Amino acid sequence: MRWTLKPKPDSQKLQALQSALGVDSTIATLLLQRGIATYEQAKAFFRPSLNDLHDPCLMKDMDKAVLRIETAIANQENILVFGDYDVDGTTAVSLVSSYLKSYYPNVATYIPDRYLEGYGVSYQGIDFAEDNDFTLIIALDCGIKSIDHVAYAKNKGIDFVICDHHRPGDTLPDAVAVLDPKREDCTYPYKELCGCGVGFKLIQALASHRNQTIHDLIPYLDLVATAIGADIVPITGENRVLAKFGLDVINTNPRPGIQALIQNVKKQTLTITDVVFIIAPRINAAGRIKHGNYAVALLTEFDLLQAAQCALDIEAFNADRKDLDKQITKEALLQISENQETERFSTVVYQENWHKGVIGIVASRLVENYYRPTIVFTKSGEKLAASARSVKDFDIYNALEACSQHLEQFGGHMYAAGMTLKEENYLAFKQAFEEEVEKTIHPDLLTPEIAVDAEIKLSDINDKMMRIIKQFEPFGPENMTPIFLATELYDTGYGKAIGQDEEHLRLFVKQGKSEGYGAIGFGLARKKELTEHKNRFDATFSIEENEWNGNVSLQLRLRDIR
């Protein structure tokens, strides 16, 4: 682990913000690091409001999208809501279809089969639309590169409205409307929406034409918050507003499908982290193991008993997913070691019978083991399909673009991507990708980084500080949980390894004569000897509340010690 202390903010700005807000220098530092320098910006950050959401009509082509949908409704056309099989896609399809169905019946949904059709708009989906007299397809979380598919549909008299958030290629599909804030000619003020977020902007625009306000759309925000958490988009600007109000819905009045997924969770208030680790994997498991339709059925079900039954099916898929991902990760690690590839700049592995539904998770697991850009391939029909995951600050999409002569197709983001290639090109691609990463990655990026917000003393920690830090939530990319550094700590003799395999570390730490704090370090028991005999050590940590027997106390969540 390398520890990187973020630069200290300008002292004049720091003092100005401290006096404007009446906060200490630590809190002011955290705010300035997040781009918050004035009272007004702090107000918008700490008190997000639905009024902060942008006018959806600022998005390029929104007027065309609304007009085409309203024309379809006026002419009694059948509308097919099409989306990807992951969390962002299935929540987006659930969102747009359930909103349209609230006032128009001729609406159906279509999620492609992960194995038979693969990612994105499919010819089978368009054929299904033709066979069932659909004349308008709304594509969510996909479609930005579906030039041939949209042309194929047009020949059949089927129009497309595309709502996507992935990077466009050089040419856009010839759709009636292409909603994507990442379009170069789109001046929409916020570029980081997820697919479900773009879908929400569409229903926001439709709602304004029906004399509805943003408050009428609050019940849909549990879906948007789930997608924001799962798709790992920055929780800044509009995403922060949508995530905050969506979490409120999840915690107070979630739709029956989400309620059924979380009913066994013992926590009183779910955070975005719980969405990422509890709700999202279960929704994803449907598309990974069986079919994304199960996720849409769950998320659009309004009968509690029926939703409970859907949730049971999804729990079973999730249990299967866990078994598969453990087994495949084990096999992939063995392949790396047998091929003597532990010292490379990248990981590229392939086994024809690996389950296509979990290779993305396996890629993430391999990044945890060998911290470097990683691609996991499996056989998919006649071709090989893969999921890629990157390390912090390395753009894997650009690396794939540089090797694209070996690929059939690819798409994605800076940190995650998917691709297909012909089997005979696998070894050439593997070599080209390794060379590209070696050439372009900074060596530091191959060591996991702990980005430290500020160095503090244990005596700086108090209830007021914790109350303010809690108001930084929801945490996520570009607003991560604050990480602190404290030096010259010692354990009072309480230290012990805990957990089933004794891999976690529990301490009671002090600094000088300061008040002590309980500390827990997951996976840090291997460093226990650094803390023995009152040896001094430095630690990076976040501060959290620990509830025990009805008592709430502050504790340190250790990230690393040395």
Side-chain angles (χ1 to χ4, degrees):
M1 285 283 186
R2 61 194 163 96
W3 301 1
T4 310
L5 195 56
K6 291 182 188 171
K8 284 186 177 171
D10 174 81
S11 60
Q12 280 184 313
K13 286 183 180 173
L14 191 66
Q15 284 171 351
L17 192 60
Q18 274 184 257
S19 57
L21 302 180
V23 294
D24 65 26
S25 68
T26 302
I27 296 295
T29 296
L30 296 178
L31 289 168
L32 285 164
Q33 285 166 343
R34 286 155 181 74
I36 295 148
T38 66
Y39 178 85
E40 286 308 315
Q41 288 171 331
K43 188 180 170 195
F45 180 76
F46 285 123
R47 302 284 179 269
S49 160
L50 291 169
N51 298 328
D52 299 336
L53 296 178
H54 303 300
D55 178 349
C57 295
L58 295 173
M59 197 175 289
K60 178 87 174 164
D61 280 6
M62 185 62 81
D63 51 341
K64 295 176 186 171
V66 169
L67 180 64
R68 182 62 187 90
I69 292 166
E70 287 181 342
T71 304
I73 291 170
N75 295 338
Q76 297 282 295
E77 293 176 60
N78 294 331
I79 301 173
L80 187 63
V81 182
F82 186 108
D84 189 23
Y85 38 67
D86 69 0
V87 178
D88 197 14
T90 52
T91 52
V93 165
S94 303
L95 172 96
V96 173
S97 65
S98 58
Y99 177 74
L100 289 173
K101 281 181 183 173
S102 70
Y103 63 97
Y104 181 65
N106 302 355
V107 177
T109 62
Y110 190 98
I111 304 286
D113 184 290
R114 189 174 203 129
Y115 307 103
L116 301 175
E117 296 165 76
Y119 167 79
V121 176
S122 66
Y123 292 114
Q124 291 95 313
I126 295 165
D127 291 344
F128 171 87
E130 183 187 35
D131 294 345
N132 293 281
D133 297 323
F134 289 95
T135 46
L136 175 61
I137 296 176
I138 302 173
L140 294 146
D141 189 35
C142 60
I144 197 67
K145 288 187 169 180
S146 302
I147 293 163
D148 295 343
H149 295 87
V150 171
Y152 178 77
K154 202 169 188 176
N155 285 336
K156 295 176 179 292
I158 299 167
D159 285 337
F160 260 89
V161 167
I162 290 169
C163 303
D164 205 347
H165 70 120
H166 297 96
R167 291 193 217 177
D170 295 334
T171 313
L172 293 176
D174 184 19
V176 173
V178 179
L179 307 178
D180 186 337
K182 293 196 178 80
R183 277 179 68 164
E184 281 189 4
D185 59 350
C186 179
T187 56
Y188 190 73
Y190 189 70
K191 300 290 182 190
E192 301 298 340
L193 293 168
C194 60
C196 188
V198 178
F200 183 78
K201 299 313 291 188
L202 176 63
I203 72 165
Q204 198 187 340
L206 290 165
S208 67
H209 280 235
R210 300 183 60 242
N211 294 324
Q212 289 178 306
T213 70
I214 191 70
H215 296 281
D216 296 305
L217 303 179
I218 288 174
Y220 297 93
L221 290 177
D222 52 358
L223 293 171
V224 185
T226 299
I228 286 170
D231 227 50
I232 317 181
V233 287
I235 303 198
T236 54
E238 240 180 351
N239 281 344
R240 180 170 170 81
V241 179
L242 295 167
K244 184 186 184 309
F245 285 90
L247 280 169
D248 290 347
V249 177
I250 289 170
N251 283 308
T252 55
N253 190 22
R255 62 195 49 239
I258 287 180
Q259 194 176 333
L261 286 182
I262 61 177
Q263 64 185 8
N264 296 326
V265 179
K266 307 237 179 324
K267 284 182 76 171
Q268 287 236 278
T269 306
L270 298 187
T271 65
I272 204 85
T273 307
D274 300 313
V275 169
V276 173
F277 290 105
I278 297 168
I279 300 175
R282 286 163 172 76
I283 294 172
N284 246 335
R288 291 184 191 285
I289 303 300
K290 195 79 172 179
H291 200 289
N293 286 336
Y294 282 84
V296 175
L298 173 77
L299 296 172
T300 54
E301 180 54 69
F302 287 96
D303 178 81
L304 265 171
L305 283 174
Q306 212 37 57
Q309 187 50 55
C310 289
L312 278 178
D313 292 340
I314 277 180
E315 280 297 338
F317 301 148
N318 196 43
D320 290 351
R321 186 272 304 165
K322 283 180 182 170
D323 292 345
L324 279 166
D325 102 51
K326 263 189 199 147
Q327 181 56 33
I328 295 169
T329 301
K330 212 159 128 188
E331 291 171 14
L333 287 168
L334 189 63
Q335 189 179 118
I336 292 165
S337 119
E338 284 180 348
N339 290 347
Q340 298 182 329
E341 293 175 341
T342 55
E343 297 302 316
R344 287 166 65 95
F345 287 86
S346 67
T347 297
V348 181
V349 287
Y350 162 55
Q351 167 97 264
E352 64 174 26
N353 60 358
W354 283 343
H355 195 291
K356 192 178 164 194
V358 299
I359 54 176
I361 302 174
V362 172
S364 296
R365 300 253 189 269
L366 296 180
V367 171
E368 287 167 19
N369 276 272
Y370 295 101
Y371 193 74
R372 59 197 189 192
T374 295
I375 305 177
V376 179
F377 279 93
T378 186
K379 192 87 181 258
S380 179
E382 293 301 299
K383 295 177 182 161
L384 306 192
S387 272
R389 295 292 181 270
S390 194
V391 295
K392 188 173 182 286
D393 294 334
F394 183 76
D395 194 326
I396 205 160
Y397 183 93
N398 286 350
L400 291 174
E401 206 157 36
C403 308
S404 57
Q405 73 270 28
H406 304 290
L407 299 172
E408 293 287 290
Q409 59 185 133
F410 72 99
H413 306 282
M414 179 170 177
Y415 290 125
M419 73 213 74
T420 56
L421 53 66
K422 290 180 177 156
E423 187 159 10
E424 60 266 28
N425 293 337
Y426 169 72
L427 288 173
F429 167 77
K430 179 171 177 167
Q431 186 56 33
F433 183 73
E434 169 70 8
E435 287 167 7
E436 179 62 22
V437 175
E438 181 176 2
K439 194 170 73 188
T440 55
I441 198 163
H442 190 286
D444 281 358
L445 300 186
L446 295 168
T447 306
E449 177 193 44
I450 295 177
V452 178
D453 291 85
E455 183 175 339
I456 61 171
K457 292 189 160 38
L458 292 192
S459 56
D460 296 333
I461 300 170
N462 55 41
D463 290 336
K464 182 187 177 186
M465 181 188 194
M466 188 66 219
R467 269 199 311 277
I468 298 175
I469 287 175
K470 279 171 77 175
Q471 291 179 53
F472 278 57
E473 294 178 11
F475 295 121
E478 294 185 31
N479 177 37
M480 300 301 277
T481 306
I483 302 290
F484 301 106
L485 162 67
T487 61
E488 293 286 311
L489 304 179
Y490 63 94
D491 175 55
T492 57
Y494 182 78
K496 58 180 176 183
I498 58 167
Q500 209 174 349
D501 302 319
E502 296 202 338
E503 58 190 322
H504 311 312
L505 181 63
R506 183 177 284 290
L507 305 170
F508 192 84
V509 298
K510 286 191 161 193
Q511 185 184 44
K513 294 190 165 59
S514 74
E515 191 184 332
Y517 287 96
I520 177 89
F522 293 103
L524 286 180
R526 57 194 159 72
K527 295 197 169 187
K528 181 174 178 289
E529 64 188 55
L530 297 180
T531 69
E532 289 168 350
H533 315 300
K534 296 204 174 172
N535 284 335
R536 299 306 194 254
F537 59 91
D538 300 345
T540 49
F541 57 88
S542 54
I543 305 164
E544 60 186 20
E545 289 180 331
N546 181 34
E547 237 178 282
W548 182 253
N549 287 341
N551 296 319
V552 180
S553 60
L554 299 184
Q555 75 170 6
L556 313 184
R557 170 81 174 272
L558 300 172
R559 302 306 166 110
D560 195 21
I561 55 177
R562 63 185 186 200

